[in-house]
Amino acid sequence: MPHFLAPHITLPPMPFTQEGYSFVYEAKQCNDSTQSLILVRYKDSEFFLRKAWRESKNNAILKCEKSTKTQPTGIMKNALKILCAYQKNIISHNLNNNTPRQNLQSPYLKSMEFFLDFAKPCLIEIGFGSGRHLLHLAQSNPHLICVGIEIHTPSIEQILRQVQLLDLKNLYIINGDARIFLEILPSHIAQGIYVHFPVPWNKKHHRRIFSPKFIQESLRVLDNGGMLALRSDDEVYFQDVLSLALQEKNISLEIHKNQQQAITSKYEARWTKQQKNIYDLKIFHTHKHTNNEKNVKNTQKTFYFDKILRKNLDNYKSFPHKKIANDWFLHIDNLYCAGDIYVLALCFGDFNQPQSKFLQIAFCDNISTRYIGHNPIPTQAAIKAHKYLMQILTQE
Ligand SMILES: C[S@@+](CC[C@H](N)C(=O)[O-])C[C@H]1O[C@@H](n2cnc3c(N)ncnc32)[C@H](O)[C@@H]1O
């Protein structure tokens, strides 16, 4: 993450604007004023920088706040450079230009929210890695939108370059966790969902892509006759997924061993060289949806903000900071203040795919409440956590 270190960090009075950047406020952590968040706006982006005194190292750091990260990274680096120039002494920094990650920008790189009301038939590949299979999918299905989702940023950079070189118009890429993505997709839009050589995580099942919930969400997202395809070299993983699939209704299954495919992915090439067996499990969705089912929305997609009472925030130390329910949780990690503006640092949602967000509440002329950057991804778990937070903040 871009940052600089200094013996002390001095900030100019805020708000101020320089080189197109607005430095809006510095909000101090309510129980430790050596930690603060600085809200910065640049064109359409909005993010926090974090200032922290590091007692053990006897120095201060100013860095990008990871959960409000904006692309390209150069936007945040420039904001740090502006503030770096106000310091008398600097110990070190990593603000030089031209790291490849600064260019993660393409019309084909989409946010998850882009797909909330997506209505076109599509094919989805989860964890596409080197992207060989996904590119093949897009090239051989020009009439369909293909969507690839990955958590590994270098793989995203690599495939976006290929999309440009091959001039593909039907391939969208998402940088994020596929388990969250499936949950927010509308029902019955996919003809195929491909998961090729996922990490088996045989000792940490909670990290696996396949779970009962994942299979159920995939079946919801698949259209009649659509297919969820697992290809794996790991027999334990394959058997586990088969057992999960057998618990579902309205499916038919197809199994193959060492079946050749038109394209060999990077991982497949590695395992074939080691003469490992390759297993295919294809789960077909056989249920015919009625029109009523087709119109059912997946989740409530909006976060409503009720009238928050300032006294509840002033009572921060005594209100519940942790709530753990069956299928969701909420952690209120910290409160920051800048005059009439309060910022809550939150972590919430599903246990295996938590989201970190900042909620800003401004008691100026009117009370205005919003999440910094974008709203959270509207999973069921995130919406439940949000509702609970509203209850705490609005109670008389
Ligand atoms: C073993 S690699 C396989 C890559 C590719 N499918 C192949 O066959 O060469 C697994 C890939 O899944 C990605 N991945 C793991 N968990 C993921 C998740 N929850 N959402 C999206 N991608 C994920 C990893 O970053 C990695 O690139």
Side-chain angles (χ1 to χ4, degrees):
M1 271 287 145
H3 68 269
F4 68 79
L5 295 174
H8 290 283
I9 292 175
T10 323
L11 298 173
M14 289 181 209
F16 75 98
T17 300
Q18 192 173 319
E19 298 166 38
Y21 284 79
S22 298
F23 296 84
V24 187
Y25 59 74
E26 178 184 8
K28 300 212 165 158
Q29 194 173 304
C30 77
N31 48 11
D32 180 357
S33 63
T34 67
Q35 314 289 316
S36 60
L37 294 170
I38 296 135
L39 183 73
V40 187
R41 290 201 189 110
Y42 178 75
K43 295 188 178 163
D44 296 337
S45 349
E46 182 181 54
F47 54 93
F48 275 131
L49 299 176
R50 178 179 287 280
K51 185 178 119 185
W53 171 251
R54 307 194 307 169
E55 193 62 48
S56 60
K57 305 217 161 101
N58 200 30
N59 64 27
I61 186 165
L62 193 67
K63 60 181 178 181
C64 299
E65 171 56 42
K66 201 173 165 197
S67 62
T68 61
K69 198 166 92 180
T70 185
Q71 290 287 353
T73 319
I75 292 180
M76 296 181 298
K77 276 194 175 178
N78 283 343
L80 283 166
K81 276 185 195 167
I82 292 172
L83 296 180
C84 192
Y86 283 91
Q87 312 310 315
K88 278 201 192 112
N89 294 310
I90 289 293
I91 299 170
S92 66
H93 71 79
N94 66 353
L95 303 177
N96 291 333
N97 275 327
N98 303 330
T99 54
R101 286 192 186 190
Q102 281 184 287
N103 300 320
L104 199 61
Q105 256 188 337
S106 154
Y108 297 100
L109 178 66
K110 301 290 185 194
S111 65
M112 287 203 196
E113 289 82 353
F114 175 81
F115 292 90
L116 276 175
D117 292 310
F118 199 70
K120 294 183 187 157
C122 61
L123 297 171
I124 300 169
E125 180 162 347
I126 290 171
F128 54 78
S130 66
R132 283 185 206 169
H133 180 261
L134 181 60
L135 291 168
H136 171 75
L137 212 55
Q139 282 172 313
S140 42
N141 293 282
H143 56 293
L144 287 177
I145 295 292
C146 294
V147 184
I149 175 152
E150 243 305 332
I151 47 171
H152 184 233
T153 316
S155 300
I156 305 264
E157 287 162 2
Q158 191 181 328
I159 202 157
L160 287 174
R161 278 193 293 275
Q162 292 295 321
V163 171
Q164 198 179 10
L165 283 173
L166 298 168
D167 198 24
L168 289 172
K169 304 279 186 242
N170 65 329
L171 179 51
Y172 294 153
I173 303 296
I174 305 169
N175 192 185
D177 190 320
R179 297 167 297 179
I180 295 186
F181 179 57
L182 272 197
E183 206 194 310
I184 63 156
L185 273 180
S187 303
H188 323 307
I189 60 159
Q191 298 191 358
I193 301 175
Y194 298 84
V195 190
H196 283 185
F197 302 95
V199 183
W201 292 115
N202 286 340
K203 292 200 175 131
K204 290 185 180 172
H205 285 199
H206 69 280
R207 300 194 68 172
R208 285 178 165 181
I209 289 180
F210 273 87
S211 66
K213 186 174 171 197
F214 175 81
I215 297 181
Q216 283 147 19
E217 287 298 337
S218 299
L219 292 173
R220 181 187 60 75
V221 166
L222 284 173
D223 202 357
N224 300 332
M227 172 191 71
L228 169 61
L230 167 70
R231 191 163 168 85
S232 176
D233 57 293
D234 192 290
E235 193 177 341
V236 173
Y237 192 86
F238 165 78
Q239 297 278 9
D240 286 352
V241 176
L242 176 60
S243 310
L244 293 181
L246 286 170
Q247 289 168 30
E248 298 303 323
K249 291 186 189 141
N250 302 317
I251 56 160
S252 66
L253 298 175
E254 211 180 282
I255 291 173
H256 299 276
K257 189 171 170 186
N258 297 329
Q259 192 187 49
Q260 289 253 311
Q261 285 216 337
I263 203 86
T264 307
S265 80
K266 194 171 151 190
Y267 274 84
E268 177 161 354
R270 183 186 291 175
W271 305 136
T272 324
K273 212 169 163 190
Q274 293 178 16
Q275 299 191 320
K276 289 180 95 177
N277 288 320
I278 306 291
Y279 303 91
D280 277 300
L281 172 62
K282 295 181 182 172
I283 308 170
F284 292 91
H285 188 184
T286 55
H287 177 60
K288 200 153 177 51
H289 303 290
T290 61
N291 276 345
N292 278 353
E293 274 176 315
K294 283 203 170 200
N295 290 333
V296 171
K297 295 248 185 239
N298 177 21
T299 52
Q300 175 198 332
K301 291 174 184 164
T302 320
F303 291 89
Y304 293 104
F305 298 107
D306 303 322
K307 192 176 169 215
I308 290 172
L309 301 180
R310 189 168 182 157
K311 73 173 172 65
N312 289 331
L313 288 160
D314 290 334
N315 259 343
Y316 169 75
K317 286 188 186 131
S318 59
F319 70 56
H321 291 175
K322 276 187 190 171
K323 166 81 183 172
I324 298 181
N326 274 349
D327 52 353
W328 61 273
F329 78 95
L330 167 71
H331 277 193
I332 303 174
D333 292 332
N334 259 311
L335 175 68
Y336 298 80
C337 283
D340 290 333
I341 298 173
Y342 292 67
V343 178
L344 281 171
L346 307 166
C347 182
F348 55 81
D350 192 291
F351 302 102
N352 294 333
Q353 303 114 47
Q355 301 190 55
S356 294
K357 291 301 286 180
F358 291 97
L359 182 72
Q360 176 189 279
I361 307 124
F363 294 94
C364 301
D365 294 337
N366 290 313
I367 305 173
S368 89
T369 310
R370 65 188 181 84
Y371 286 100
I372 295 295
H374 319 259
N375 272 346
I377 299 160
T379 59
Q380 308 270 12
I383 286 175
K384 286 180 190 167
H386 171 88
K387 276 190 184 156
Y388 177 79
L389 178 66
M390 285 302 124
Q391 275 172 25
I392 301 176
L393 298 178
T394 54
Q395 70 198 358
E396 289 292 343

